[in-house]
Amino acid sequence: MNTREMQDEILRLKKDKNVCILAHAYQSQDIWEVADFVGDSYALSRYAASVSQETVIMCGVRFMAETVKVLSPQKRAILANPLAGCPMAQQIDQKMISWLKDRYPEHTIVAYINTTSALKTAVDVCVTSSSAVHIINNIQNDKILFIPDKNLGEWVEKQCPNKQFAFFKGGCPTHMRMRKRDVDQARQLHPNAKLLVHPECLSEVTELADFAGSTTEIMAYARESSEKEFIIGTESSIVQHLQFECPDKQFYLLSRECVCHNMKMTTLADVYQCLLGRSGEEIFLEEHVIQGAKRAIEEMIRLGQ
Ligand code: 13P
Ligand code: SF4
């Protein structure tokens, strides 16, 4: 079977079996082409709350499949590749969050959505990179404890000058590999290119960027810009998608280190095998986890309107 034939089979099977395929923006182009919806973490969460099909296959990482289960508990939520997990979601556990709560009793706890559902039960509200500034500005309390991504938190802090922030020292291992020296080298090689980066990058990188935003915000910026060349400081797949979407423009990856092995784990063949019931992992969560995590995610959707 070649790629085209497998895609055709996937499209036929998902229709026959009433399955919805969701894909995060970091998934590969062949998966994008068979998905019902592709988006950044915020758009995926909003879409997951309103899916009409019985079964949802998530092509992304584990916390994204958990979010589908939390928002649509009556549906079957399947993670296309059970090995795909976000290392940042493992950086804080229940013991650590209890310690943080004792240390910052007056703070509203704002958790990046890249956390486990169990952890979400212990926080006040979730945010994503595209919704964090708006949501935090809508929180009444001036004291914010932002977990676990310190780089995203510091980027948000600069745009919320009326809030006092405390941080946990976590972050995305993929985006943290990009450094100022990569920016210097890329700018030298491509002096006319605009630098577009994800706010999970270190501040030494975001401070030098022409634009920082979520995966789909970076894509929208490049699509709508009249410029012709762009250096992309996020997971390498976004360069590939932009090359498909804007063939008249040129895109360069900021660093060859910017590869998320977890996001790369899911293949088109995994999606096909999932539809045949031979692969993937159905997500099961305890009722109290669903209820607790749902409160934090729904608060994100409410404050993000
Ligand atoms: P966004 O899609 O919200 O930009 O998140 C990026 C990311 O690293 C997801 O794991
Ligand atoms: Fe996690 Fe970073 Fe990979 Fe996103 S890119 S899944 S935050 S490790």
Side-chain angles (χ1 to χ4, degrees):
M1 207 185 259
N2 63 28
T3 304
R4 177 69 64 82
E5 288 162 350
M6 190 173 277
Q7 285 180 317
D8 286 345
E9 266 305 282
I10 289 172
L11 294 174
R12 188 186 65 75
L13 283 165
K14 74 168 184 174
K15 201 165 163 223
D16 281 4
K17 297 189 170 196
N18 197 23
V19 173
C20 171
I21 299 176
L22 300 184
H24 183 263
Y26 289 153
Q27 296 298 295
S28 54
Q29 186 71 23
D30 51 1
I31 292 179
W32 272 44
E33 289 169 4
V34 295
D36 293 270
F37 183 79
V38 179
D40 64 11
S41 310
Y42 187 67
L44 281 175
S45 310
R46 295 205 60 170
Y47 195 89
S50 63
V51 164
S52 61
Q53 291 92 330
E54 305 276 298
T55 303
V56 179
I57 295 178
M58 172 56 76
C59 305
V61 289
R62 182 168 293 271
F63 78 83
M64 295 175 176
E66 288 188 2
T67 301
V68 172
K69 187 67 187 171
V70 165
L71 292 175
S72 298
Q74 71 291 0
K75 315 262 175 200
R76 293 181 71 221
I78 296 172
L79 177 61
N81 187 317
L83 296 177
C86 171
M88 185 166 25
Q90 307 302 323
Q91 287 170 349
I92 299 193
D93 59 14
Q94 299 289 358
K95 219 169 136 190
M96 179 60 75
I97 197 90
S98 304
W99 183 83
L100 287 166
K101 278 184 162 181
D102 288 346
R103 184 147 183 225
Y104 299 103
E106 293 176 357
H107 288 60
T108 294
I109 305 182
V110 176
Y112 195 20
I113 197 152
N114 297 40
T115 40
T116 62
S117 300
L119 194 102
K120 287 182 178 91
T121 63
V123 308
D124 295 304
V125 59
C126 291
V127 293
T128 67
S129 56
S130 59
S131 62
V133 172
H134 185 67
I135 289 172
I136 289 171
N137 277 326
N138 279 343
I139 293 173
Q140 298 281 315
N141 191 356
D142 286 345
K143 294 192 175 104
I144 305 291
L145 171 62
F146 193 99
I147 60 165
D149 189 338
K150 187 163 186 275
N151 301 306
L152 174 67
E154 286 177 344
W155 178 78
V156 172
E157 182 182 31
K158 288 186 190 123
Q159 295 164 79
C160 300
N162 299 327
K163 305 283 183 191
Q164 296 159 38
F165 281 76
F167 299 109
F168 173 81
K169 281 194 190 136
C172 164
T174 303
H175 286 85
M176 286 200 305
R177 286 200 285 267
M178 286 179 281
R179 307 302 304 254
K180 179 181 177 298
R181 63 169 180 269
D182 297 311
V183 175
D184 295 342
Q185 268 172 19
R187 287 239 193 247
Q188 231 177 2
L189 277 171
H190 311 292
N192 298 322
K194 292 281 175 207
L195 174 64
L196 317 182
V197 307
H198 198 282
E200 287 173 12
C201 290
L202 295 168
S203 59
E204 67 183 45
V205 171
T206 46
E207 276 163 9
L208 297 175
D210 296 294
F211 175 76
S214 77
T215 49
T216 47
E217 286 171 336
I218 288 175
M219 291 197 65
Y221 184 102
R223 195 186 308 123
E224 285 153 28
S225 168
S226 56
E227 301 289 333
K228 292 287 177 206
E229 288 182 74
F230 302 88
I231 302 160
I232 304 297
T234 190
E235 213 286 325
S236 58
S237 53
I238 298 299
V239 169
Q240 185 198 24
H241 299 310
L242 283 166
Q243 282 165 342
F244 273 94
E245 235 182 278
C246 314
D248 59 322
K249 298 182 179 179
Q250 277 185 290
F251 301 95
Y252 316 106
L253 188 60
L254 175 56
S255 156
R256 65 178 185 171
E257 297 295 320
C258 202
V259 177
C260 175
H261 298 290
N262 282 281
M263 282 288 184
K264 290 266 182 290
M265 215 152 264
T266 308
T267 63
L268 187 71
D270 287 333
V271 182
Y272 177 60
Q273 295 292 336
C274 262
L275 282 161
L276 293 174
R278 295 185 193 143
S279 180
E281 179 186 324
E282 182 167 355
I283 303 292
F284 294 100
L285 297 171
E286 289 177 55
E287 187 54 30
H288 78 276
V289 172
I290 291 182
Q291 291 311 326
K294 195 171 182 189
R295 180 192 41 75
I297 298 169
E298 285 185 346
E299 186 65 349
M300 167 182 87
I301 293 173
R302 188 183 70 81
L303 290 173
Q305 301 288 353

